[in-house]
Amino acid sequence: MQAWVIGNWKQNPATSRDVDTLLEGLLTAIYADTKFSSNCCNLMVAPSDIHLAAVNARLKDTSVLCSAQDISAHSATTGAYTGDCSAQQVVDAGATWTILGHSERRQYHQESHECLLQKMTHAFTQNLGVVFCIGETQTQYDAKQTLEVIDNQLSVIKDLLDQQPDITVSLAGRLIIAYEPVWAIGTGKVPTVYEVSKTHQHIKQTVAGFANNLEDMTVLYGGSVNADNADSFALDSMIDGALVGGASLKAESFLAIAKAFS
Ligand code: PGA
């Protein structure tokens, strides 16, 4: 299975010029590095919607893909939803994937099971791939509730399949799960590779139980992945790549992580 390394830029960088600098740095580093082969690792970046079209234009004819960070729950296309951006609109801007259910969306926008079910449905109707984020909080981790929390969050996929059995075909290869413990995001704290591996095994088994063609689900780890710890995650066969926040904002560290997984 080819690894995925995805840069979640969140609400960064501040200006279009800074976006250009980051992107040029990344592409220059990729071309200059003879040891890095993009054939061995899928690379993707997820800029803010405002930068999506420009980033996509620059990435055309390169192997780096472009993802949105979120889409509207209200409509897959158009409508009176001030401030929202639909699946159709991000596709038009060049995104081929979208992140959904990131813990920052769950926390700051109160994204619920129903909301994420809507978003996932809209994504697939517009042929957008989905990087679906799941993970437990520190309190849930301390209470040893990780698997229970994860099962609950994964039930969005089960409900989607129950509602629309025909969608199964388009899910294969168009769905990636990113396991991101909330307490590891941006904190410098990481679970052990063993813990991540066991959790990924559980996720793969659970999703495989939803539909035959969801066996061998790509499951990424996210949360304080950096150039120094990427190797240890990459060595584990259950960890199919990384969703990277802070370290994706510097070309060198993002490429170092990509190399670890390629
Ligand atoms: P981090 O963020 O790498 O800065 O911890 C990961 C994420 O939020 O996807």
Side-chain angles (χ1 to χ4, degrees):
M1 181 190 293
Q2 227 186 15
W4 283 82
V5 174
I6 303 172
N8 176 11
W9 290 358
K10 309 192 181 184
Q11 198 175 290
N12 299 293
T15 65
S16 308
R17 186 184 290 222
D18 294 340
V19 169
D20 290 345
T21 308
L22 175 58
L23 217 44
E24 289 313 321
L26 181 61
L27 293 173
T28 308
I30 290 174
Y31 296 135
D33 197 310
T34 47
K35 289 204 199 101
F36 176 72
S37 164
S38 53
N39 295 335
C40 305
C41 174
N42 297 294
L43 265 190
M44 184 153 76
V45 293
S48 295
D49 284 348
I50 189 82
H51 298 133
L52 209 47
V55 168
N56 181 57
R58 181 62 188 90
L59 292 180
K60 211 161 171 274
D61 304 324
T62 76
S63 56
V64 185
L65 299 168
C66 195
S67 169
Q69 296 176 12
D70 186 44
I71 53 167
S72 173
H74 301 294
S75 165
T77 55
T78 55
Y81 305 109
T82 303
D84 270 16
C85 208
S86 74
Q88 184 182 32
Q89 289 173 319
V90 301
V91 168
D92 183 60
T96 45
W97 290 78
T98 184
I99 296 171
L100 287 183
H102 191 282
S103 63
E104 286 149 15
R105 302 283 322 168
R106 294 179 193 260
Q107 182 184 352
Y108 302 126
H109 299 267
Q110 289 77 45
E111 290 194 350
S112 63
H113 178 100
E114 286 69 31
C115 165
L116 290 168
L117 182 55
Q118 280 298 112
K119 289 187 178 194
M120 209 181 268
T121 307
H122 293 330
F124 289 122
T125 56
Q126 296 296 318
N127 203 25
L128 255 186
V130 171
V131 181
F132 186 53
C133 301
I134 57 173
E136 81 286 358
T137 62
Q138 180 77 64
T139 313
Q140 291 162 336
Y141 174 78
D142 292 341
K144 304 202 180 330
Q145 292 169 338
T146 299
L147 300 188
E148 193 183 319
V149 171
I150 277 172
D151 285 351
N152 220 352
Q153 293 170 331
L154 287 175
S155 67
V156 169
I157 301 165
K158 172 89 173 67
D159 287 354
L160 178 75
L161 292 168
D162 286 348
Q163 282 180 10
Q164 303 184 46
D166 294 349
I167 218 161
T168 321
V169 180
S170 40
L171 277 191
R174 303 295 286 148
L175 177 65
I176 289 174
I177 310 287
Y179 169 56
E180 299 201 304
V182 180
W183 53 272
I185 295 177
T187 59
K189 291 195 284 183
V190 287
T192 64
V193 174
Y194 179 76
E195 283 176 301
V196 175
S197 184
K198 284 284 166 206
T199 306
H200 281 207
Q201 193 175 9
H202 177 82
I203 294 167
K204 284 171 188 270
Q205 277 167 0
T206 305
V207 177
F210 294 160
N212 287 342
N213 71 339
L214 295 184
E215 274 167 12
D216 222 9
M217 173 61 54
T218 298
V219 183
L220 314 183
Y221 169 72
S224 296
V225 177
N226 58 39
D228 296 327
N229 63 21
D231 276 327
S232 60
F233 290 116
L235 282 174
D236 192 283
S237 63
M238 286 287 150
I239 305 175
D240 305 316
L243 180 56
V244 187
S248 71
L249 296 172
K250 292 217 163 61
E252 307 74 45
S253 47
F254 190 54
L255 188 65
I257 296 166
K259 275 165 68 179
F261 281 96
S262 59

